Structures are given as structure tokens and as C-alpha cells.
């Protein structure tokens, strides 16, 4: 049950409900997927039914626009191992208004909703400063929703390093747990987020030959702060780069992380599973 804590206190991290869910030991915890995407329409059921026997134990399906949040709730109902994150992506904030915000608030209390996300700032696709300012407004509001509901956040930040960090420091985001998904900035910035208590989401990009900065980040941050993610259907790792991605490709990501850190793939899978269970509190 939600403990009655004052918004803004660090106690919020400890106030999560204790519903029990499962990602068995030795299995992969996929922390960021979009199985509601139309690219999975032709074989979604077959693909998702094959996850368990291929070593994937739990998946967080992450909402991006309002429609995908609603489809995430359906997937959560249909598959025991699928959990949900509800939130509106910075590139989809035209979907947001007070009514949708209230819908997020009332839906995010469902036991299988593990996080608010994905939320954040994207200045790569959005150059208009007025729209960027609206992105900041709704990023803040959704961070406050996570604080209020005692949920972690899944943050998307692209070409907006400075504003993301400034905004998060300004609202004391260190009091809210979360992950910086598809991390694309410097190792120094990753360390800054780790200091704030955040996790770093690592996916297919780490396997690309030209991703030197990310490889360095993975080698330098604590293993206890890394999460495995695909962002599927996007960002397939080598050797499947360019093809539709799925959680079945995560062993390639685990293998690359293992080689960068001089440990085994199994150790990476187990550590990232434990990290995800720690972060997404409600799932254990
Ligand atoms: Ni995503």
C-alpha cells in the first residue's frame, strides 16, 4: 500500500506497494520494449509466447503516446510476464492535456504498472523552442506524477543533455528513482546520473563499432547500475543491425557488456535482472 509520505521526501522510494511478480533467476529482464508497435502486428503472439523458452523472464512494455499506453495495459493483462510503464514521450506531447494526465494518474496505480515512462526531452527531432519549452513542462509534470505515485521513471533524453540535467536537479529528481534509457551522452554524465541514484539503460547501440563513448561508459559505471533494454522494434544490435529488434537479441547486448567488463554473459544477465527488480520495486 502507498505509505502516506509528503511529496518530495526521499522516503518516497521506500513507499512502494509490495505486490509480488516474477523474473526467475538466470533469466533476462528486458527493461524497455514497445511490443504494441505495429511492426509486431504480424507475429506478436508467436514472438511473445517464445520469450520464456528463450530465456527472457520479464518485459516492461513502455508507453510512448496515449494509444500505446492503452495497448500496454492490454498486453499486461494478456501476458503474465509483461509489466507496463505509462507516460507520454517528448515527441508525442501533443497527446497530453489535463484529462490524459488524470488518466495516467488513475491507470498508473494498477499493480502491474512498474514505472512512469517514457518521459523526457528530445531536441533532436524538435528544434522549435516553444515546443521544447512545452516538453520541459510535461516532463516536469510527469516527474511529479511519479513522485506522487511512488513509481520510478523511464527517461528519454536526446540532444538535450544540459536541459535534462538542469531540470532534474531543479526538481530534486534524486528523490525519485529511475533509469536514463538508451543512454547516449558522455561517461562523465553517466556518472553524474549514477550519483543521483539513477540507472543507465544499455541496448543494441553498445554493439555498434562506432559507439566508442558508450562502450567507455559501460566499462566505467558500476555494474549495479546497468539495465538491459532493447527499445524494440528499434536499435537492433550487431549482427542484426538494421533488422526489426526484439528481446531475443538481448544476449548480444549482454555479451558485449560482458566483454567490456571482463566478466561472463551470465553474470551480466543476473546483475541486470537484480538491478531491475531493485528499481522497479513492485516486481520481485
Ligand atoms: Ni523507447
Amino acid at each position: 500500500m502507498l505509505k502516506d509520505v509528503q511529496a518530495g521526501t526521499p522516503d518516497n522510494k521506500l513507499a512502494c506497494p509490495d505486490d509480488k511478480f516474477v523474473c526467475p533467476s538466470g533469466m533476462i529482464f528486458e527493461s524497455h520494449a514497445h511490443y504494441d508497435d505495429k511492426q509486431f502486428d504480424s507475429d506478436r503472439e508467436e514472438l511473445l509466447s517464445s520469450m520464456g523458452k528463450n530465456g527472457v523472464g520479464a518485459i516492461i512494455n513502455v508507453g510512448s503516446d496515449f494509444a500505446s499506453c492503452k495497448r500496454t495495459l492490454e498486453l499486461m493483462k494478456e501476458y503474465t510476464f509483461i509489466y507496463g510503464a505509462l507516460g507520454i514521450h517528448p515527441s508525442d506531447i501533443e497527446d497530453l492535456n489535463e484529462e490524459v494526465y488524470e488518466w495516467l494518474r488513475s491507470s498508473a496505480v494498477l499493480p502491474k504498472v512498474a514505472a512512469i515512462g517514457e518521459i523526457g526531452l528530445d531536441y533532436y527531432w524538435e528544434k522549435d523552442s516553444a515546443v521544447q519549452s512545452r516538453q520541459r513542462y510535461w516532463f516536469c509534470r510527469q516527474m511529479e506524477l511519479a513522485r506522487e505515485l511512488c513509481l520510478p521513471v523511464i527517461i528519454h533524453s536526446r540532444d538535450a543533455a544540459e536541459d535534462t540535467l538542469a531540470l532534474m536537479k531543479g526538481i530534486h529528481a534524486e528523490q525519485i528513482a529511475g533509469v536514463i534509457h538508451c543512454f547516449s551522452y558522455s561517461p562523465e554524465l553517466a556518472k553524474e546520473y549514477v550519483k543521483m541514484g539513477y540507472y543507465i539503460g544499455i541496448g543494441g547501440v553498445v554493439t555498434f563499432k562506432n559507439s566508442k563513448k558508450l562502450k567507455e561508459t559501460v566499462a566505467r559505471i558500476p555494474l549495479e547500475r546497468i539495465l538491459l533494454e532493447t527499445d524494440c522494434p528499434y536499435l537492433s544490435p550487431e549482427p542484426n543491425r538494421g533488422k526489426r529488434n526484439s528481446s531475443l537479441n538481448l544476449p548480444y547486448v549482454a555479451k558485449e557488456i560482458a566483454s567490456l567488463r571482463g566478466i561472463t554473459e551470465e553474470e551480466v544477465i543476473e546483475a541486470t535482472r537484480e538491478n531491475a527488480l531493485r528499481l522497479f520495486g513492485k516486481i520481485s
Side-chain angles (χ1 to χ4, degrees), residues 32-34 62 64 89 118 156 181 231-232 234:
H32 195 118
H34 300 283
V62 182
S64 52
H89 186 287
E118 56 189 295
H156 168 107
H181 125 81
D231 206 16
C232 67
Y234 311 106

Coordinates of all heavy atoms in Angstrom, one line a residue, residues 32-34 62 64 89 118 156 181 231-232 234, ligand 1:
H32 N 12.9 -2.3 -21.4 CA 12.3 -1.3 -22.3 C 12.0 -1.9 -23.7 O 12.9 -2.1 -24.5 CB 13.3 -0.1 -22.5 CG 12.8 1.1 -23.1 ND1 12.7 2.3 -22.4 CD2 12.2 1.4 -24.3 CE1 12.1 3.2 -23.1 NE2 11.8 2.7 -24.3
A33 N 10.7 -2.1 -23.9 CA 10.3 -2.7 -25.2 C 9.0 -2.0 -25.6 O 8.2 -1.5 -24.8 CB 10.1 -4.2 -25.1
H34 N 8.7 -2.0 -26.9 CA 7.4 -1.4 -27.5 C 6.7 -2.5 -28.3 O 6.7 -2.4 -29.5 CB 7.7 -0.2 -28.3 CG 8.4 0.9 -27.6 ND1 7.8 1.7 -26.7 CD2 9.7 1.3 -27.6 CE1 8.7 2.6 -26.2 NE2 9.8 2.4 -26.7
V62 N 6.8 -0.2 -22.7 CA 6.8 1.2 -22.4 C 5.9 2.0 -23.3 O 6.0 1.9 -24.5 CB 8.3 1.7 -22.4 CG1 8.4 3.2 -22.0 CG2 9.2 0.9 -21.6
S64 N 4.5 5.3 -25.2 CA 5.1 6.5 -25.7 C 4.0 7.6 -26.0 O 4.2 8.7 -25.6 CB 5.9 6.2 -26.9 OG 5.2 5.5 -27.9
H89 N 5.9 10.3 -24.3 CA 7.2 10.6 -24.9 C 7.3 12.1 -25.3 O 6.3 12.6 -25.7 CB 7.4 9.7 -26.1 CG 8.7 9.7 -26.7 ND1 9.2 10.8 -27.5 CD2 9.7 8.8 -26.8 CE1 10.4 10.5 -28.0 NE2 10.7 9.3 -27.5
E118 N 7.7 6.4 -21.4 CA 8.9 7.1 -21.3 C 8.6 8.6 -21.4 O 7.8 9.1 -22.2 CB 9.9 6.7 -22.4 CG 9.4 6.7 -23.8 CD 10.4 6.1 -24.8 OE1 11.6 6.6 -24.9 OE2 10.1 5.1 -25.4
H156 N 13.8 9.5 -21.4 CA 14.3 9.6 -22.7 C 14.9 11.0 -22.9 O 14.2 12.0 -22.6 CB 13.2 9.4 -23.8 CG 13.5 9.7 -25.2 ND1 13.7 8.8 -26.1 CD2 13.8 10.9 -25.8 CE1 14.0 9.4 -27.3 NE2 14.1 10.7 -27.1
H181 N 17.2 5.9 -20.2 CA 17.1 4.9 -21.1 C 17.9 5.2 -22.4 O 18.0 6.4 -22.7 CB 15.6 4.6 -21.4 CG 15.2 4.7 -22.8 ND1 15.4 3.6 -23.7 CD2 14.5 5.6 -23.5 CE1 14.9 4.0 -24.9 NE2 14.4 5.2 -24.8
D231 N 14.6 -1.3 -26.6 CA 13.8 -0.2 -27.3 C 13.2 -0.8 -28.6 O 13.0 -0.1 -29.6 CB 14.7 1.0 -27.6 CG 13.9 2.3 -27.8 OD1 12.7 2.3 -27.3 OD2 14.4 3.2 -28.3
C232 N 13.0 -2.1 -28.6 CA 12.5 -2.7 -29.8 C 11.1 -2.2 -30.2 O 10.3 -1.8 -29.3 CB 12.4 -4.3 -29.7 SG 11.2 -4.9 -28.5
Y234 N 13.1 -1.0 -32.4 CA 14.3 -0.2 -32.9 C 15.6 -0.7 -32.4 O 15.6 -1.5 -31.4 CB 14.1 1.3 -32.6 CG 12.7 1.8 -32.9 CD1 11.8 2.0 -31.9 CD2 12.3 2.0 -34.2 CE1 10.5 2.5 -32.2 CE2 11.1 2.4 -34.6 CZ 10.1 2.7 -33.6 OH 8.9 3.1 -33.9
Ligands
LIG1 NI1 11.5 3.6 -26.2

